[in-house]
Amino acid sequence: MPGEFELIQRFFHQPTSHTELGAGDDAALIRPRPGMQLAISTDMLVEGRHFFAGADPFLLGWKAAAVNISDMAAMGAEPRWITLAIALPAADEAWIDLLARGFRDCCEAYVVDWVGGDTTRGPLNLCPTIFGELPAGEAIRRDGARHGDDIWISGWPGMAALGLAHLRDGLELVSGWQESCVERLHRPMPRVALGIKLRGLASAMLDVSDGMLGDLSHILERSGVGAVLEETSLPIAPLLAACRRTEHAMSALLSGGDDYELLFTVPREQRGQIEALARKLELPLHRIGRILDKPGLWLQRGNGVAESVEALGFDHFGAS
């Protein structure tokens, strides 16, 4: 059975492209580019909490990197360096090799240097830490939403939640859509290019990991504002096509997580620029509501009646 340092050398020691000193010493050495500031985030994945026991190791490695890269996208930062601390129940070389390949492939896809980490024996737990760069003062934070701003979301949120419901609860999905939803759950694609392009346009932003309503509530709380979402503008069509049940589709869209799409606010006068950006990136961007000057969260139904809604999202310490 290989020891800790042999495992690190064989599976977790990767070449780098923009790092002064990578893995292999007591610390990596990195140098931000002139005029840039660092953005740093950690997002842990725990077996039984964030992924099923027996999960595909390649996809698990990909997702561990992707959810952290998404945190950089949510700030408008360019992801540059990442570490991985991992607890392993056993030194299964074939399993570790696939995990490392998935993690490495995601890093390579987003040009992120894997510069170190740590391994230990214990319950399966992956804890990356990511470092990104962005021009000083240009970070897109959660506290900038203002009255009258449009609310936008990227892509097709809710598909990952349907994939999870299919695997965990046996929710029946239409053939063809089933594979797409499960793929979205296991292999998220962080919206890095969009996040960078939104510098100077978005007033507030985050990535949707715990559900649209729950994550939007973080922006509202930090910005001291409220919001109304328009039912007729919500991107629900693919979800209805996938499950053919309105209640499941709406729940996945509003309260499901794991899509890692970007939810952001933009001043109304910038609406044309966001529409042009959607065309340039060939990425659907949906205007789903607007920011209000009074606290609260409402859903405006198709008949024009606005109903107060509860911002429910995933809570690690809430009821199971």
Side-chain angles (χ1 to χ4, degrees):
M1 179 180 295
E4 175 186 0
F5 298 107
E6 183 181 350
L7 286 176
I8 292 172
Q9 182 63 32
R10 289 177 59 186
F11 300 114
F12 303 129
H13 195 136
Q14 306 296 332
T16 58
S17 60
H18 44 257
T19 302
E20 293 190 19
L21 180 65
D25 216 307
D26 288 307
L29 299 177
I30 60 177
R31 184 189 301 272
R33 290 168 290 185
M36 307 291 268
Q37 64 182 160
L38 287 177
I40 305 168
S41 181
T42 296
D43 207 337
M44 182 187 303
L45 277 71
V46 178
E47 184 179 52
R49 190 64 173 173
H50 303 100
F51 59 91
F52 296 118
D56 181 300
F58 179 89
L59 294 176
L60 180 57
W62 176 283
K63 188 168 184 176
V67 301
N68 282 269
I69 291 171
S70 183
D71 284 335
M72 295 295 99
M75 297 290 290
E78 179 184 352
R80 298 275 282 171
W81 304 277
I82 196 167
T83 65
L84 175 61
I86 180 170
L88 295 164
D92 182 336
E93 295 180 63
W95 191 95
I96 295 170
D97 181 43
L98 288 171
L99 176 85
R101 290 186 187 191
F103 194 87
R104 181 181 64 244
D105 281 6
C106 186
C107 289
E108 290 179 351
Y110 290 91
V111 199
V112 179
D113 278 358
W114 183 2
V115 298
D118 189 27
T119 60
T120 189
R121 181 185 291 272
L124 186 56
N125 180 335
L126 290 78
C127 186
T129 298
I130 192 161
F131 304 78
E133 287 182 322
L134 71 165
E138 293 190 18
I140 308 173
R141 297 164 33 157
R142 299 180 178 188
D143 59 1
R146 297 293 180 263
H147 174 57
D149 285 356
D150 289 331
I151 303 170
W152 295 79
I153 194 163
S154 66
W156 301 108
M159 291 184 67
L162 289 183
L164 176 60
H166 170 72
L167 295 176
R168 184 186 61 195
D169 307 322
L171 176 67
E172 185 177 348
L173 298 177
V174 175
S175 178
W177 286 100
Q178 175 181 313
E179 294 78 8
S180 297
C181 291
V182 172
E183 174 79 1
R184 287 292 301 274
L185 173 67
H186 290 322
R187 194 164 180 161
M189 304 297 290
R191 303 301 189 185
V192 173
L194 173 62
I196 292 173
K197 291 292 186 181
L198 285 172
R199 294 176 191 161
L201 291 174
S203 52
M205 184 162 66
L206 45 61
D207 63 338
V208 179
S209 58
D210 297 328
M212 184 192 298
L213 293 183
D215 286 322
L216 175 58
S217 71
H218 299 317
I219 288 179
L220 303 184
E221 180 180 358
R222 292 291 300 275
S223 299
V225 294
V228 58
L229 300 180
E230 299 167 2
E231 184 179 38
T232 57
S233 299
L234 296 175
I236 198 172
L239 308 181
L240 289 172
C243 71
R244 294 179 178 170
R245 298 183 183 180
T246 301
E247 66 275 18
H248 287 306
M250 187 64 79
S251 176
L253 177 62
L254 296 180
S255 301
D258 265 333
D259 287 287
Y260 299 94
E261 295 291 354
L262 294 184
L263 178 68
F264 55 98
T265 61
V266 179
R268 180 185 176 91
E269 56 269 24
Q270 307 292 346
R271 189 175 295 178
Q273 290 181 255
I274 301 302
E275 293 168 346
L277 182 57
R279 293 190 295 269
K280 181 177 181 180
L281 295 178
E282 298 182 339
L283 173 65
L285 300 178
H286 313 278
R287 181 168 51 85
I288 60 173
R290 63 187 183 279
I291 296 295
L292 307 175
D293 59 358
K294 59 180 180 179
L297 181 56
W298 288 267
L299 178 63
Q300 184 172 314
R301 297 291 185 177
N303 60 8
V305 176
E307 301 176 358
S308 178
V309 292
E310 189 174 358
L312 294 177
F314 181 75
D315 181 352
H316 290 278
F317 297 98
S320 299

